[in-house]
Each structure stands twice: as C-alpha cells, then as structure tokens.
Amino acid sequence: MTMTPDRLSGAFFLLFGLAMYFAIIPVFVEQAEDGSIAPNTLPNILSWMVAISGGWLVLKPTPHQIQDLRFFAGALMHAAILCAGIYAMSWIGFLYVAPFLTLIIMIVIGERRPYWLALGVIVMPAFIWFLITQVLDRSLP
C-alpha cells in the first residue's frame, strides 16, 4: 500500500474522527437533563461518519492526481471565509450571519442558479435553526 495524498488525508480524518469521539466530545459536551436527545448524540454520529469516511479513503484512494496551486488557494480562501463567519457568529449571532456566510460561500464555489441560492441562503439556515433550537432544544450563538 503506497502512501498517496488521499491515503494521508484519509488517515488524518480517521484519527480525527476517533479523537473527536473518544477524547474531545466526552470532555467538552455538557450533559443536559431536558431535551429529547442527548447533547452528544449528533456530534458522536458525525465523528463516526468522519472516521469511517477517512478509513474508506485509506482503503480505496481515488486515482486523481494532485491539482494545481489554484485549487489549494481556493480551499484556503474557503477556510478563511468559514473562520471569519464563525468568528462573526460569536459576536453577531447565527441568525444574522448564517445567510450571508452561505451566500458568500455559494458565490465563491460558483453557484449562480437562483433556486439553489435561495435554498442555501434561506432554507438551510432556517432548517439548522429549527433543528438546533426547536428539536434539540439548544441555543445558537
């Protein structure tokens, strides 16, 4: 088994998912008495999904070659936009930042269809708000 970038990133995400499940989530997720779902349920499911996907990438890497530098610059810009959006959410709040953050990310990745832009900017933040605040009975920043 040769070490390819896919296998390396798969190993990283496999270890990251396992670390989230076994070390980070148990320490940083507080237990709550109220609510119909335990607070660590969704993070645990997602951490297992990340770990399984990483393991699958280790076992079955793609045959793609490494992209040019513009691809990585775009990924870095995407990560910077996400970091700025998360920081803005901590100051301004989810309801005010999420639609704009979604719009910016969708425009950056090249989405121009009005139906998908409306779905991403209006429906998805509303669904996330409903799921977290109403169903899970948790607060958003």
Side-chain angles (χ1 to χ4, degrees):
M1 184 174 357
T2 61
M3 291 309 281
T4 63
D6 278 352
R7 284 201 168 111
L8 288 173
S9 64
F12 169 80
F13 284 107
L14 172 65
L15 294 174
F16 177 75
L18 293 174
M20 290 293 292
Y21 183 78
F22 290 111
I24 296 170
I25 293 170
V27 172
F28 291 102
V29 174
E30 298 175 6
Q31 296 301 323
E33 299 292 327
D34 57 345
S36 60
I37 299 175
N40 64 351
T41 302
L42 188 60
N44 282 338
I45 291 170
L46 295 176
S47 65
W48 274 112
M49 288 175 63
V50 168
I52 290 169
S53 298
W56 184 259
L57 193 57
V58 169
L59 296 176
K60 297 280 190 179
T62 63
H64 299 142
Q65 299 298 320
I66 295 177
Q67 302 291 325
D68 62 355
L69 194 55
R70 290 179 298 174
F71 175 77
F72 294 107
L76 182 62
M77 182 178 66
H78 184 83
I81 291 169
L82 285 176
C83 289
I86 291 169
Y87 181 73
M89 278 185 206
S90 69
W91 284 95
I92 302 169
F94 176 85
L95 289 176
Y96 300 110
V97 175
F100 294 107
L101 178 62
T102 307
L103 179 65
I104 291 168
I105 289 174
M106 290 179 81
I107 295 293
V108 166
I109 65 171
E111 183 59 59
R112 299 292 188 266
R113 294 173 287 186
Y115 174 75
W116 285 107
L117 288 172
L119 186 71
V121 171
I122 298 167
V123 175
M124 286 309 295
F127 175 73
I128 292 168
W129 171 83
F130 176 77
L131 181 68
I132 301 298
T133 62
Q134 304 301 313
V135 176
L136 298 176
D137 197 28
R138 302 289 176 253
S139 63
L140 286 169

